Amino acid sequence: LQSHPWGTIGVTTGPSGHDHLHDAGAERIVRQLAALPNLVTHRPPVIEGVVRTGIGQAGSFTGLHWVQSQLLTMLGASPWPGTLNLEVSNETARVVGRGRSQSGLAKHILQPEGEFCRAICHEIELYEPGGGHFLDGLVLWPELEGYPDNKLELICSVRVRDHWQLQEGQPLRLRYREASNHANAEIG
């Protein structure tokens, strides 16, 4: 068994009886187990939620010049001034919460100006419902006490609701991106 941030990975190597394992030879089993890390990839899980209408404040925040500038650097494209809200189940919120501090995920820090708070931004792939297309995006986590764990604010270069003609309550999936050399940076 191998411990991993998203759960535990278990492996079966074939016959499990003592005699069968002994007959297979310890060297052979060790060689097979040594090759295992090359076969197992640790991709972040797909997160699913439903589209929800927010309170209408994100557009004024994400439209600020200093926020736009930092989001442009993180996203690699001009961000739409606003967010798409995704509501996730309580169980999914626990998985997502663990991901906020996960070192293997592509993460940026939005540095605040004035009275605004700092925010964590994770790079994501947002999947089109029923299709094979995706959009590059960010999940924005304001570092505010009491911020709901089951609310994801998504930032993309287009107004996603119009781009994919999304309806209230429609399911939507995303996957966090894994860290690379350019990610995990503080922008500001």
Side-chain angles (χ1 to χ4, degrees):
L1 292 177
Q2 180 178 359
S3 178
H4 184 269
W6 300 106
T8 303
I9 299 171
V11 178
T12 60
T13 58
S16 59
H18 180 269
D19 293 337
H20 291 111
L21 290 174
H22 180 71
D23 293 343
E27 258 183 64
R28 181 173 169 218
I29 293 171
V30 169
R31 274 196 319 274
Q32 289 175 337
L33 288 174
L36 186 62
N38 296 325
L39 302 175
V40 178
T41 59
H42 303 296
R43 293 209 56 197
V46 171
I47 303 296
E48 185 169 317
V50 294
V51 174
R52 292 288 181 230
T53 300
I55 58 175
Q57 293 182 342
S60 60
F61 173 71
T62 58
L64 294 170
H65 176 73
W66 62 271
V67 175
Q68 282 278 308
S69 175
Q70 291 183 57
L71 293 176
L72 170 63
T73 302
M74 294 175 200
L75 190 57
S78 294
W80 174 263
T83 62
L84 175 70
N85 292 328
L86 211 60
E87 181 182 39
V88 298
S89 69
N90 290 335
E91 182 178 324
T92 300
R94 285 190 288 279
V95 171
V96 169
R98 288 192 304 267
R100 282 190 225 173
S101 60
Q102 183 63 39
S103 63
L105 300 178
K107 176 174 75 172
H108 306 276
I109 304 297
L110 181 71
Q111 295 295 341
E113 286 189 13
E115 75 256 7
F116 293 98
C117 69
R118 196 174 96 132
I120 297 171
C121 295
H122 281 104
E123 294 179 23
I124 60 164
E125 292 175 354
L126 185 62
Y127 298 108
E128 179 181 25
H133 299 95
F134 70 90
L135 291 171
D136 295 325
L138 300 166
V139 174
L140 178 83
W141 294 104
E143 292 187 334
L144 289 171
E145 190 169 326
Y147 188 82
D149 289 335
N150 68 338
K151 178 182 177 183
L152 306 182
E153 294 199 55
L154 311 180
I155 297 173
C156 293
S157 61
V158 297
R159 188 169 192 265
V160 180
R161 206 180 263 265
D162 292 342
H163 186 72
W164 284 338
Q165 300 174 357
L166 300 175
Q167 303 298 316
E168 183 76 8
Q170 187 169 354
L172 203 56
R173 298 177 313 128
L174 64 89
R175 183 187 302 271
Y176 285 98
R177 286 224 167 105
E178 295 178 271
S180 65
N181 293 335
H182 73 280
N184 296 330
E186 292 199 15
I187 310 280

